Amino acid sequence: MKWFDYSAPRTLDEALDTYASHPHARLLAGGTDLLVQMRAGRKETDLVIDTKRIPELNELHCNGALTLGAAVPCCRIYEDAAVKSAFPALAAVASIIGGIQIQGRASIGGNLCNAAPSADSIPLLIALGATARIVYKGGERSVPVEDFCTAPGQNILQPGELLVSIQIPKPEPHSGSHYLRFIPRNEMDIAVAGAGVAVTLNGGTITAARIALASVAPTPLFVKAAGDALVGQPATEESVNKAALLAKDAAKPISDMRGTADYRRHLCAVLTRRALRAAIVQAQEA
Amino acid sequence: MQNKVQVHTTINGEEVDFLCEPRQSLLECLRDNLNQTGTKEGCNDGNCGACTVNLDGRIVTSCLVLGVEAEGRQITTIEGIAKGNQLHPLQRAFLEEAALQCGICTPGFIVAAKALLDHEPNPSEDRIRWWLANNLCRCTGYDKIIRAVQKAAAVLQEAKA
Ligand code: FES
Ligand code: FES
């Protein structure tokens, strides 16, 4: 790795000041993407700002809604009883990213900023209606997660802007959510395709639904039409199938060593269908 | 300004000060700066687990931690697993079950498995396999490793009873 300096600010203000005066700095959370990319020469910087000592980025607070600090490692998410009961699908996603060693470091905020099309957490965040809280010197803004990634490895953050936390609204009563991916191994792999879904029921009728896909477009893909098509429909196999086909139609995958475009499109339908079934069962039991 | 950084940390219960470049990984600092070569480098990108150490009670791949991040933290490496000349039951079980051939993966497996048994004294085979998914071994085929961990768990349980 090329030489860089290191700074570990203790407050958000200090971090913003440092970042404002070093716009080419790189922000470090778990480092499980950044350090790999810097070692490979794909990213360079003269300053690494470690965000793990900033209180706001370490906050994990669930009171129905969830505030998830951008540097909170995955292990804290699935070990938190309140998060596990309010957002079981999020706890499950945190437990399939990398192995135990990676989960001790890697954060969902980092997964989002890294903006990989295959990121496991992003489709679920989109389905849950999450927003990114972005702070810069002198202000802040909030962006829906579906608008955060702009291209493979690219996001909307401007130099000087810091992702502080991810905010997930409190789910309506009788809601359920689920993320499913396909990988050829059992663990430690990158999704060939993935589907994150969230549904809300009123009796047997679906009143809200959001669906997003992984690994089938240059960014995690929000398929609004597929969720919208479920609204007002009975929570039946027929409705689920219709939405799954819409998700499949929306996918724009490429062929690569992990799978062909056709195979990925097929997976989109299968994974969306299965994730919806699981989310509906969860909503019925909630 | 290319200044080295002084880091104050605790390694295997001993307070340690060392100088490092901010770009050095914790793995490099342990091996090159501190001459603690028990921790191994396999892939240097987080996949193989050979470099696993325990950082503040959690296992991490030390190739993906900067040495400067060790400031004020507690680190346990493979050198801290035995008590003097007395091997830890995990170490003994790895020997008795022939759970290693070339041995490069072994320190990582033992540090990782110890963290599991510290918190879950009686894990299922399935749990052990999932827990160790971030540790790769190109020699043993894993079965003997899993058996060694199960044996160590039993020995530790018996010692407590
Ligand atoms: S050397 Fe660190 S995980 Fe392989
Ligand atoms: S014993 Fe050789 S890699 Fe595991």
Side-chain angles (χ1 to χ4, degrees):
Chain A
M1 258 189 278
K2 295 214 170 129
W3 187 287
F4 54 78
D5 284 320
Y6 170 84
S7 139
R10 302 264 170 176
T11 67
L12 189 53
D13 280 341
E14 193 190 334
L16 293 172
D17 280 339
T18 308
Y19 201 10
S21 56
H22 293 82
H24 299 298
R26 289 282 177 184
L27 300 169
L28 172 72
T32 55
D33 285 313
L34 181 67
L35 297 183
V36 175
Q37 291 161 359
M38 296 211 314
R39 202 167 278 145
R42 278 190 280 146
K43 279 186 184 161
E44 250 181 48
T45 184
D46 51 9
L47 178 68
V48 165
I49 303 175
D50 188 350
T51 61
K52 287 190 292 297
R53 297 188 192 245
I54 307 169
E56 288 86 343
L57 277 86
N58 267 310
E59 186 181 355
L60 181 62
H61 182 68
C62 185
N63 58 353
L66 181 69
T67 297
L68 172 57
V72 171
C74 286
C75 61
R76 277 183 59 201
I77 297 169
Y78 58 70
E79 285 171 5
D80 188 295
V83 177
K84 247 165 100 172
S85 97
F87 298 98
L90 184 68
V93 153
S95 73
I96 61 166
I97 294 177
I100 304 293
Q101 286 92 322
I102 298 297
Q103 291 154 17
R105 299 267 298 167
S107 66
I108 301 292
N111 200 225
L112 179 56
C113 290
N114 188 54
S118 58
D120 284 313
S121 71
I122 304 179
L124 183 69
L125 293 178
I126 294 173
L128 291 170
T131 54
R133 182 180 168 225
I134 298 165
V135 177
Y136 49 92
K137 216 170 133 77
E140 67 173 89
R141 60 182 178 132
S142 185
V143 173
V145 167
E146 58 265 33
D147 299 332
F148 191 87
C149 304
T150 54
Q154 305 291 321
N155 62 47
I156 55 153
L157 292 176
Q158 302 295 315
E161 283 190 331
L162 207 101
L163 175 68
V164 168
S165 61
I166 294 160
Q167 307 286 336
I168 304 182
K170 180 175 178 191
E172 297 292 325
H174 308 295
S175 290
S177 58
H178 204 70
Y179 173 74
L180 271 184
R181 68 176 176 187
F182 176 77
I183 55 174
R185 306 176 58 196
N186 284 329
E187 75 297 289
M188 293 286 293
D189 208 346
I190 293 171
V192 179
V197 308
V199 297
T200 303
L201 301 182
N202 183 353
T205 305
I206 298 170
T207 56
R210 286 167 69 89
I211 296 170
L213 304 172
S215 281
V216 293
T219 63
L221 187 67
F222 178 37
V223 191
K224 185 164 185 306
D228 287 352
L230 285 170
V231 176
Q233 301 299 309
T236 59
E237 199 56 22
E238 202 189 323
S239 311
V240 164
N241 277 330
K242 221 187 285 167
L245 291 178
L246 286 170
K248 175 183 173 181
D249 288 343
K252 305 183 231 357
I254 54 168
S255 295
D256 65 11
M257 64 171 185
R258 290 183 202 285
T260 62
D262 269 352
Y263 184 46
R264 286 192 154 108
R265 265 190 291 270
H266 171 73
L267 283 173
C268 283
V270 174
L271 295 170
T272 303
R273 190 183 310 131
R274 290 181 187 171
L276 278 170
R277 281 184 200 143
I280 286 170
V281 169
Q282 200 190 99
Q284 284 162 342
E285 287 167 357
Chain B
M1 275 284 271
Q2 308 205 332
N3 285 331
K4 288 198 177 183
V5 179
Q6 177 162 7
V7 178
H8 179 81
T9 189
T10 305
I11 301 177
N12 300 326
E14 257 180 60
E15 294 199 30
V16 176
D17 282 283
F18 65 91
L19 270 182
C20 72
E21 299 179 2
R23 63 177 164 177
Q24 283 187 291
S25 66
L26 176 59
L27 174 62
E28 289 172 281
C29 292
L30 288 168
R31 291 182 58 86
D32 302 342
N33 306 27
L34 294 162
N35 211 19
Q36 302 267 310
T37 53
T39 306
K40 303 302 181 199
E41 177 184 321
C43 63
N44 213 22
D45 67 10
N47 271 293
C48 77
C51 65
T52 299
V53 302
N54 192 308
L55 182 65
D56 281 349
R58 291 194 188 279
I59 49 169
V60 298
T61 44
S62 61
C63 67
L64 295 187
V65 178
L66 294 175
V68 283
E69 292 184 64
E71 175 66 38
R73 319 279 297 265
Q74 302 271 344
I75 297 164
T76 306
T77 68
I78 186 68
E79 284 92 345
I81 303 289
K83 284 208 180 81
N85 281 335
Q86 188 157 13
L87 293 182
H88 186 276
L90 268 166
Q91 293 170 307
R92 252 200 322 269
F94 267 65
L95 289 173
E96 289 163 5
E97 296 296 311
L100 62 145
Q101 289 177 34
C102 79
I104 191 137
C105 68
T106 313
F109 268 104
I110 289 179
V111 171
K114 179 166 186 299
L116 173 63
L117 299 186
D118 283 348
H119 297 286
E120 298 173 39
N122 196 11
S124 65
E125 175 179 342
D126 214 45
R127 176 70 174 148
I128 297 171
R129 286 186 184 272
W130 279 101
W131 184 270
L132 297 176
N134 207 157
N135 292 80
L136 302 184
C137 173
R138 59 191 175 170
C139 304
T140 62
Y142 301 101
D143 264 354
K144 292 181 171 187
I145 292 176
I146 305 302
R147 258 179 274 147
V149 176
Q150 288 172 314
K151 181 170 184 181
V155 169
L156 284 162
Q157 289 276 72
E158 228 168 84
K160 248 194 272 168

